[in-house]
Amino acid sequence: MDLFGDLLKEFGAPGQRLVDLGYGTGNSSVELQKNGYKVTGVDLSPAMVSAAEGKEEIRGIDFFVGGLADLPLPSAKFDAAISAGEVFHCLSGGEELDAAFAEAARVLVPTGLLVVEVNTELSFRVLSQAPDIRSSDHGFISFSPLAPADFSPGGAIDLEVDSFARVEGGLWERSVTRHRLRHLTHERILESIASAGLEFVSVRGFHGGVLEDGLDNGRHPKALYVARRADSVD
């Protein structure tokens, strides 16, 4: 999560109050709290909320159940908002995407920063053809396409997600879910940023463990978009 912290410092978040949009089990929230942010987390899944609240290191972080398009949070409350992983790809379509950016703008203070991580066209092409396994400190996750097929920019793919987490006694806990992920083109993201009254600041492509200026869909599997709430936003 240093990538998010680095971007917030580089572009000057006005304070330390931060909301983690779609925090999952709270890993990103914990890392941001270690970096000095006063973190609030929001996730659509009550099960994720329970899992996050059960962690010892989660103390001091407030969690709420809610969707990106209807955040259970007051307006103009946070200096920064971040979204890690595939959260924005799970939105049902263009209207919900616009609503999610609008809600992020609503809860930010003037000049507050929004940083959203997305999977690029390269990532979607890979995911649509073969399983992808990702490891973490707590276990690993396998993403498998339900029906491998040619992918078109702006389209969707259906995935089966197998999560394996270490539990007490040296055992593993497995959970299986299915998700439809929608690819978000660069142009569509910029449209949603503008429609929310946010100012586009930067996009950084992720490659080889570092962020690079700009976006190359043939090189970068992920990208981080940075937007700022304008002073004139109500």
Side-chain angles (χ1 to χ4, degrees):
M1 295 308 299
D2 287 342
L3 298 177
F4 289 92
D6 290 345
L7 289 173
L8 294 175
K9 291 177 182 177
E10 177 181 351
F11 295 107
Q16 301 298 106
R17 297 170 301 173
L18 181 145
V19 58
D20 186 355
L21 304 173
Y23 62 84
T25 56
N27 293 335
S28 57
S29 295
V30 170
E31 292 303 314
L32 289 161
Q33 185 185 53
K34 290 179 181 178
N35 287 335
Y37 291 96
K38 174 60 178 176
V39 180
T40 296
V42 178
D43 198 276
L44 184 62
S45 170
M48 288 294 185
V49 174
S50 297
E53 290 178 337
K55 294 183 177 181
E56 179 66 23
E57 64 269 28
I58 222 73
R59 291 182 179 180
I61 298 177
D62 296 323
F63 293 101
F64 298 92
V65 176
L68 295 183
D70 187 20
L71 295 174
L73 301 170
S75 299
K77 174 72 173 180
F78 299 95
D79 303 298
I82 70 103
S83 179
E86 285 76 28
V87 180
F88 270 65
H89 293 294
C90 294
L91 297 170
S92 62
E95 289 186 4
E96 195 171 19
L97 179 67
D98 289 342
F101 275 99
E103 278 291 271
R106 179 184 65 80
V107 302
L108 287 172
V109 301
T111 75
L113 289 178
L114 169 66
V115 182
V116 176
E117 178 185 355
V118 299
N119 290 339
T120 65
E121 184 178 330
L122 172 61
S123 181
F124 267 78
R125 290 193 184 281
V126 172
L127 281 173
S128 69
Q129 294 297 322
D132 177 33
I133 298 176
R134 305 176 191 175
S135 61
S136 69
D137 294 338
H138 305 281
F140 62 94
I141 302 176
S142 173
F143 299 83
S144 302
L146 292 176
D150 291 336
F151 167 76
S152 298
I157 57 175
D158 294 311
L159 299 174
E160 184 170 88
V161 181
D162 284 280
S163 300
F164 296 85
R166 294 186 181 89
V167 295
E168 294 182 3
L171 300 177
W172 291 83
E173 182 177 72
R174 180 193 182 197
S175 62
V176 181
T177 57
R178 291 187 175 186
H179 302 273
R180 169 162 288 187
L181 301 184
R182 298 182 181 277
H183 173 246
L184 307 175
T185 65
H186 176 70
E187 294 76 16
R188 187 64 184 85
I189 292 172
L190 294 185
E191 288 177 9
S192 290
I193 287 174
S195 71
L198 294 163
E199 298 174 350
F200 171 68
V201 175
S202 179
V203 60
R204 300 284 173 86
F206 184 76
H207 178 78
V210 298
L211 292 178
E212 301 176 340
D213 288 336
L215 172 61
D216 184 342
N217 275 302
R219 174 180 172 82
H220 299 136
K222 286 183 174 290
L224 275 75
Y225 283 81
V226 184
R228 189 188 309 275
R229 174 174 165 169
D231 286 326
S232 60
V233 176
D234 294 328

